[in-house]
Amino acid sequence: MSPRVRRITVSGYKGQTHVPAEGVPEERVTARTLRRINAFLSAFARNQAAHSVDVPGGFAVYDDAFAHSRANNQIVIDTVVDAGVLPAVAEEALGHLPHRMISVLDDEVGTACAEALLRSGYTHSTLLVMQHDGPVTRHGRDAGKVSLDAIRAPLAEQWRNFLPDVDDEVIRHLVDRREVRHRGADVVHFIGAHTEGGEVASWADLYLDRATGMAQIEDLVTSEVHLGRGYADAVLNAALRLAVDADCGTRFLIADAADWPRHWYERRGFSVVGRSHCFERG
């Protein structure tokens, strides 16, 4: 079994690339920013993988240590591909797994691939690339960098709430896969906000690449018992401040177009600048 659950992902604060240079149309700046974001996402997926194999239009990533994690065992399409051959490419690359997952980073390419993949039994999710357009402000609650060990227990509990029917091995893979995220980017931090009793109530990943000025905040989650108390805002703002301090001028998030968190992000100053696509089966 290779479960999927909708992720609450976030990143971003207004960077220099969001404001057009004199004489440069904003549409061109947005397109250039999206290319840089997609390059970052592509590099992160390949770098994080235990190994990868090139396929038409992109590459397949694998990590046998986390076989139940779809994100660690999938195909990433990061250039033009013949949509008609993509189902067969997925069968060849992922045929040893009980699931199929294909991430298509370019909106136009993903839209073109949808018909063939839907005919082959895939489900289709549209993901939004969002940038933050507001200032990075202080928040009433404190949050900061934490160790992976500090979030293992609440993370495992959250996954059990999301996926009550899976066994302990699946939960372990979904928790422990964070161990290899440090391979994906120049700097990887885990950010957490604590209760007064010391429990981590909300957490997220922060990926930084100083060389390219990119920052992504990923998997922002709050324990159900601590919802509505400002912990997620504290984690978000702490991550944004760290990104600003690292001189990362492009700060972005990925959100499910059909899920409620996108509106939560919009209320905090995020706006849609692009789309990507995810196709899954099994």
Side-chain angles (χ1 to χ4, degrees):
M1 176 179 286
S2 298
R4 172 182 179 265
V5 66
R6 285 174 176 165
R7 298 171 300 165
I8 304 177
T9 59
V10 51
S11 183
Y13 159 68
K14 181 178 178 181
Q16 292 94 339
T17 55
H18 189 77
V19 180
E22 184 177 356
V24 179
E26 185 169 358
E27 293 80 2
R28 287 179 54 191
V29 174
T30 300
R32 185 172 61 200
T33 300
L34 280 173
R35 286 194 295 270
R36 295 176 63 241
I37 288 172
N38 288 342
F40 176 89
L41 294 170
S42 177
F44 190 99
R46 192 186 285 269
N47 293 337
Q48 179 187 231
H51 64 282
S52 62
V53 175
D54 289 339
V55 301
F59 55 93
V61 296
Y62 306 99
D63 197 326
D64 294 340
F66 310 109
H68 294 291
S69 171
R70 297 189 175 202
N72 293 78
N73 298 272
Q74 64 161 317
I75 288 174
V76 177
I77 300 298
D78 57 2
T79 188
V80 177
V81 65
D82 181 349
V85 306
L86 196 49
V89 168
E91 289 306 304
E92 181 175 357
L94 304 176
H96 62 292
L97 297 169
H99 72 269
R100 309 285 183 270
M101 179 169 169
I102 304 171
S103 296
V104 185
L105 301 182
D106 182 81
D107 185 20
E108 185 175 349
V109 174
T111 300
C113 291
E115 182 178 354
L117 289 170
L118 290 172
R119 284 201 309 266
S120 298
Y122 284 79
T123 61
H124 176 204
S125 300
T126 300
L127 305 177
L128 305 178
V129 182
M130 305 177 76
Q131 280 192 281
H132 194 269
D133 296 318
V136 178
T137 59
R138 288 283 171 183
H139 190 265
R141 293 189 180 276
D142 290 329
K145 291 181 281 187
V146 297
S147 68
L148 175 57
D149 286 342
I151 62 174
R152 284 185 189 276
L155 184 57
E157 180 180 0
Q158 196 73 4
W159 275 116
R160 289 191 180 95
N161 291 336
F162 286 150
L163 304 167
D165 298 325
V166 305
D167 60 32
D168 289 343
E169 182 183 25
V170 174
I171 299 298
R172 180 176 60 81
H173 284 201
L174 295 174
V175 173
D176 290 351
R177 64 182 180 176
R178 267 182 160 84
E179 295 173 351
V180 301
R181 290 189 175 171
H182 70 275
R183 300 192 301 224
D186 179 37
V187 176
V188 173
H189 294 308
F190 303 120
I191 312 299
H194 293 82
T195 66
E196 291 183 0
E199 178 186 359
V200 177
S202 184
W203 59 90
D205 295 0
L206 173 63
Y207 311 143
L208 305 174
D209 189 335
R210 296 188 183 97
T212 60
M214 305 293 292
Q216 179 188 6
I217 303 171
E218 172 73 3
D219 283 349
L220 173 58
V221 178
T222 299
S223 294
E224 292 183 9
V225 296
H226 299 301
L227 289 171
R229 302 180 187 178
Y231 291 110
D233 279 303
V235 170
L236 172 58
N237 286 321
L240 292 173
R241 291 197 304 271
L242 285 169
V244 169
D245 291 343
D247 293 325
C248 290
T250 301
R251 308 172 187 95
F252 70 97
L253 69 86
I254 307 295
D256 192 325
D259 209 356
W260 65 264
R262 63 165 295 184
H263 304 296
W264 189 88
Y265 302 135
E266 288 169 346
R267 291 194 297 271
R268 285 150 181 82
F270 289 87
S271 59
V272 177
V273 295
R275 291 170 175 79
S276 62
H277 300 264
C278 181
F279 300 92
E280 298 182 77
R281 198 184 77 192

